[in-house]
Amino acid sequence: MHMMLLAATPALRMAPPVMQMREQVTPVGAGPVSSNDFRGGVVPTRARQMDKPILVQGGSLRTWTYRSPAVEQVQVVLSTEGRPLDADVELWHGPDNTPCKMRVYVENGQLRPFSCVIETPRGPNTIAIRNIGQLEFPFAANVFAENVDVPTPDSLAASMTIQGGALRTYPFDPTVDSVQVLLKTDGRPLNARIELLQGPNNNKQVIELYTEDGLDRPFLCFLETIGSGNVVRIVNTAPVEFPLTASVVPYSINQNMGVYDNDVVMGGDVGW
């Protein structure tokens, strides 16, 4: 009798856990949501999230992947709540292939958010954005492939060749609120530095750019030129054998001249 009780004891001890596990698992597996319904519910949620900015903490990395070859260009918008912005933006096309990358610095990401258009032909492509700033300096990142800004006819018409190692400066009137910058080459690599200055050696925004093919992947960005004394400086950091074509023209104009009545104008009577 003692042996029979000992033999029956393990069965009595193991039975309750088995039943409890089944009671916990059964409602999930046998619920009203099927696998097809579950997949259909995830797609709209992710589509809505793509339209919302994602907070990128200091030292972290976020990626956006586009597998469809129909996506030929995407727009990247970075902003902060008034703090500096320091980021690395890269385009990944295949393993260990980075055809486009840039380093972005903005003094005030709320006053001057960063916005650029990256060409993504022949998918799949991945946009990688890394916050290389400290933990105290997060920024909001948004990447979208619909309703992407395109160069204006004035930007396509006004172009200037910048030889390797040379630079060009473009001063703007206080009525210009934003400027569009278009850089491209004849198929050679593109290495450039784009600077927005307001005052002597006062960099408000700096972009260090590399593109492996400036004809297949031209670079388009938009700079906020709020106030007076704004100058855009384009530096071709490549050797003399690699010239580039730059076009820097106004993008939006502020007709309210009264706003700038009390501003100090760099260069004397320029713009008055």
Side-chain angles (χ1 to χ4, degrees), residues 174-175 177 253-261:
T175 57
D177 275 349
I253 305 295
N254 186 0
Q255 302 296 338
N256 258 339
M257 284 296 296
V259 176
Y260 306 104
D261 286 343

Side-chain angles (χ1 to χ4, degrees), residues 4 15 24 26 29 43 88 158 172 177 180 206 218 237 244 261:
M4 293 176 63
Q24 294 174 359
T26 301
V43 173
D88 274 339
F172 287 95
D177 275 349
Q180 59 176 332
V206 180
T237 56
L244 63 86
D261 286 343

Side-chain angles (χ1 to χ4, degrees), residues 33-101:
V33 180
S34 65
S35 60
N36 293 331
D37 294 337
F38 183 75
R39 287 196 297 267
V42 171
V43 173
T45 304
R46 296 188 60 181
R48 287 195 297 267
Q49 290 178 354
M50 290 300 293
D51 295 333
K52 298 180 180 178
I54 296 178
L55 188 65
V56 183
Q57 299 290 343
S60 62
L61 171 70
R62 293 293 182 269
T63 59
W64 288 258
T65 300
Y66 299 89
R67 300 186 179 276
S68 173
V71 179
E72 296 185 348
Q73 55 186 1
V74 298
Q75 187 160 354
V76 178
V77 180
L78 308 179
S79 61
T80 68
E81 295 181 350
R83 303 184 181 184
L85 188 154
D86 203 355
D88 274 339
V89 182
E90 295 182 350
L91 171 64
W92 296 346
H93 183 71
D96 298 329
N97 183 21
T98 308
C100 179
K101 58 183 178 180

Side-chain angles (χ1 to χ4, degrees), residues 196-204 228-231 233 266:
L196 173 62
L197 300 96
Q198 193 176 27
N201 298 322
N202 186 7
N203 287 324
K204 300 297 183 180
S228 59
N230 291 283
V231 176
R233 179 165 61 187
M266 304 297 175

